[in-house]
Amino acid sequence: MRHIGQWILSIASAVCFLAAGASLRAQTSPHAPKPVAVKFDEFKYDRDEDTEARLAPFARALRQQPRSRAFIIAYVGRLFRYGDVGARNMTAFTRLDLVYRREDAVDWERVVTVDGGYREENMIEVYLVPPGAPAPAPRPTLRPDQVTFCPSVNVSAPLHVWDAKQPLRFSASVREEMTKIVPGYRWSISRGTIDGGQGTAEIVVRQTSAEYQPLTATVEIGGYSPACETKASNASPKQLIHVPFKLDEFGHVATGDMKARLDYYAANLQATPEMVGHIVFYGGRRYGRRLARRGEAAALAAYLKNYLLNSRGIAPERVRMIDGGFREEWTTELWLGLPDGKAPTPTPTVSPGEIRFRPGRTRKRS
């Protein structure tokens, strides 16, 4: 019986060996089926909707096939507005959803992104690609010359008006990258008279009423497809200001905050070339939490002016410095006024005799 059992075991081993050999030959045979990429899903891309639920089954499938890669192919729609999410950003956002925004995250290296071209709508395709399978080929349905590229149109209006007889300037900006269209400009206004610039990117409007009334300027851009929104409007300020007027005031703040405030101040100066800037600076008992040093207020004021001139391109004659005396803390006021008009009046709160400076010299800031 023992010999019979050994004989049966030998026959079984031989059968397994032959079966394994047949399987190996089938895998290496030129007639064996080759692995192919499998389209797992296809959906309309919309950043207003959460794609996580759509990608959840795909992520599970990738976990079950650890050797497979994910291919994300993005298609841009027929109507492409400047500022819309392009194929590169569509795939990037989808990849982020797949890699970072899930508990069952997928390794970054396993996800490949592809610009698929153009279709009727923004679309995303996701593929599972096993080892040895060729990459999926994009399947666009539109040529680039069949896509409508639309511009972004904006109108800038005067930031400040101080005289009912003041000419008002409105300017249009047209931004787009995909065409070589030369835009045309057609302006209309709610009141007043266009004194110059019709047909160009900037107009000058003269007010005709004795008292100031806000007005709206509208531009329509020609040369683009009727499918594009090419109209934009903006209005002048609701009321007059009294010059000079204080735009901002700040004390000891972080450097980034200080630069942001100066950037806003510079933008106002650039938008109102008829005005000049007055910087009123006050020394203080303290700078932040410590006692102030002698000359510190002037050094900081020089830094502010240097930033406006060298970093923001403001002409030197348009920035006027005023030493305001002393307050409890170092303070700066940013004013706007007219070149020949009245300068702001400083309002110190501490007399110079009350100030006790901290020992040491003030280092010049660059």
Side-chain angles (χ1 to χ4, degrees), residues 240-258:
L240 295 176
I241 62 169
H242 299 284
V243 289
F245 77 100
K246 184 167 63 176
L247 185 69
D248 195 7
E249 177 179 336
F250 57 91
H252 178 258
V253 295
T255 301
D257 188 5
M258 183 184 298

Side-chain angles (χ1 to χ4, degrees), residues 342-362:
K342 181 181 177 182
T345 302
T347 54
T349 59
V350 177
S351 66
E354 299 178 56
I355 301 297
R356 298 293 181 267
F357 292 109
R358 180 182 181 183
R361 293 183 302 173
T362 299

Side-chain angles (χ1 to χ4, degrees), residues 101-150:
R101 299 175 183 173
R102 302 188 49 79
E103 294 180 359
D104 48 356
V106 177
D107 290 338
W108 182 271
E109 294 78 9
R110 293 182 64 195
V111 183
V112 180
T113 59
V114 179
D115 182 344
Y118 301 95
R119 287 188 178 179
E120 288 294 331
E121 296 182 303
N122 289 352
M123 299 294 296
I124 290 287
E125 291 180 337
V126 290
Y127 285 82
L128 280 172
V129 182
R139 300 177 301 159
T141 59
L142 297 175
R143 301 186 308 272
D145 61 348
Q146 295 176 300
V147 178
T148 299
F149 295 99
C150 297

Side-chain angles (χ1 to χ4, degrees), residues 62-126:
L62 282 169
R63 287 202 315 277
Q64 294 167 3
Q65 301 183 33
R67 298 183 60 200
S68 295
R69 292 185 298 168
F71 271 69
I72 302 172
I73 303 179
Y75 302 90
V76 172
R78 180 187 288 273
L79 186 65
F80 186 84
R81 304 172 184 85
Y82 180 86
D84 281 357
V85 177
R88 179 179 299 180
N89 286 333
M90 288 166 61
T91 54
F93 289 140
T94 307
R95 192 182 200 186
L96 287 171
D97 283 332
L98 196 61
V99 173
Y100 289 121
R101 299 175 183 173
R102 302 188 49 79
E103 294 180 359
D104 48 356
V106 177
D107 290 338
W108 182 271
E109 294 78 9
R110 293 182 64 195
V111 183
V112 180
T113 59
V114 179
D115 182 344
Y118 301 95
R119 287 188 178 179
E120 288 294 331
E121 296 182 303
N122 289 352
M123 299 294 296
I124 290 287
E125 291 180 337
V126 290

Side-chain angles (χ1 to χ4, degrees), residues 158-163 166 241-247 265-266 268-278 314-315 317-320 335-342:
L159 294 179
H160 311 291
V161 180
W162 54 90
D163 188 343
Q166 175 188 339
I241 62 169
H242 299 284
V243 289
F245 77 100
K246 184 167 63 176
L247 185 69
Y265 187 47
N268 277 264
L269 284 169
Q270 290 164 343
T272 53
E274 304 89 348
M275 305 187 84
V276 296
H278 298 276
I314 305 300
E317 62 273 14
R318 298 192 62 208
V319 181
R320 303 177 180 182
W335 292 73
L336 291 173
L338 298 177
D340 301 325
K342 181 181 177 182

Side-chain angles (χ1 to χ4, degrees), residues 6-286:
Q6 292 177 348
W7 179 73
I8 293 174
L9 181 61
S10 298
I11 292 176
S13 299
V15 171
C16 290
F17 177 79
L18 292 174
S23 175
L24 179 63
R25 286 193 299 275
Q27 292 178 15
T28 58
S29 170
H31 302 292
K34 296 182 178 179
V36 295
V38 178
K39 184 168 76 170
F40 190 89
D41 197 2
E42 176 179 344
F43 54 89
K44 181 180 176 181
Y45 180 85
D46 189 346
R47 282 302 296 171
D48 293 334
E49 296 180 359
D50 190 2
T51 60
E52 184 176 350
R54 198 74 187 239
L55 293 173
F58 187 51
R60 288 195 294 269
L62 282 169
R63 287 202 315 277
Q64 294 167 3
Q65 301 183 33
R67 298 183 60 200
S68 295
R69 292 185 298 168
F71 271 69
I72 302 172
I73 303 179
Y75 302 90
V76 172
R78 180 187 288 273
L79 186 65
F80 186 84
R81 304 172 184 85
Y82 180 86
D84 281 357
V85 177
R88 179 179 299 180
N89 286 333
M90 288 166 61
T91 54
F93 289 140
T94 307
R95 192 182 200 186
L96 287 171
D97 283 332
L98 196 61
V99 173
Y100 289 121
R101 299 175 183 173
R102 302 188 49 79
E103 294 180 359
D104 48 356
V106 177
D107 290 338
W108 182 271
E109 294 78 9
R110 293 182 64 195
V111 183
V112 180
T113 59
V114 179
D115 182 344
Y118 301 95
R119 287 188 178 179
E120 288 294 331
E121 296 182 303
N122 289 352
M123 299 294 296
I124 290 287
E125 291 180 337
V126 290
Y127 285 82
L128 280 172
V129 182
R139 300 177 301 159
T141 59
L142 297 175
R143 301 186 308 272
D145 61 348
Q146 295 176 300
V147 178
T148 299
F149 295 99
C150 297
S152 169
V153 182
N154 291 284
V155 172
S156 61
L159 294 179
H160 311 291
V161 180
W162 54 90
D163 188 343
K165 298 180 180 179
Q166 175 188 339
L168 305 179
R169 298 180 184 274
F170 295 83
S171 60
S173 62
V174 181
R175 301 178 65 186
E176 60 97 6
E177 300 172 346
M178 305 301 294
T179 74
K180 296 182 180 180
I181 294 174
V182 177
Y185 302 87
R186 186 173 63 187
W187 291 91
S188 60
I189 54 177
S190 61
R191 58 170 51 89
T193 303
I194 298 178
D195 262 5
Q198 182 65 277
T200 71
E202 182 177 280
I203 58 170
V204 178
V205 178
R206 180 171 55 85
Q207 304 173 80
T208 54
S209 58
E211 295 184 358
Y212 173 74
Q213 292 180 321
L215 61 92
T216 299
T218 301
V219 69
E220 185 172 1
I221 305 299
Y224 292 91
S225 167
C228 299
E229 177 55 56
T230 56
K231 272 184 153 183
S233 301
N234 207 342
S236 62
K238 294 182 179 180
Q239 58 189 12
L240 295 176
I241 62 169
H242 299 284
V243 289
F245 77 100
K246 184 167 63 176
L247 185 69
D248 195 7
E249 177 179 336
F250 57 91
H252 178 258
V253 295
T255 301
D257 188 5
M258 183 184 298
K259 289 183 177 180
R261 291 169 179 265
L262 292 174
D263 289 343
Y264 178 67
Y265 187 47
N268 277 264
L269 284 169
Q270 290 164 343
T272 53
E274 304 89 348
M275 305 187 84
V276 296
H278 298 276
I279 298 180
V280 183
F281 61 94
Y282 301 87
R285 297 180 191 270
R286 298 182 306 279

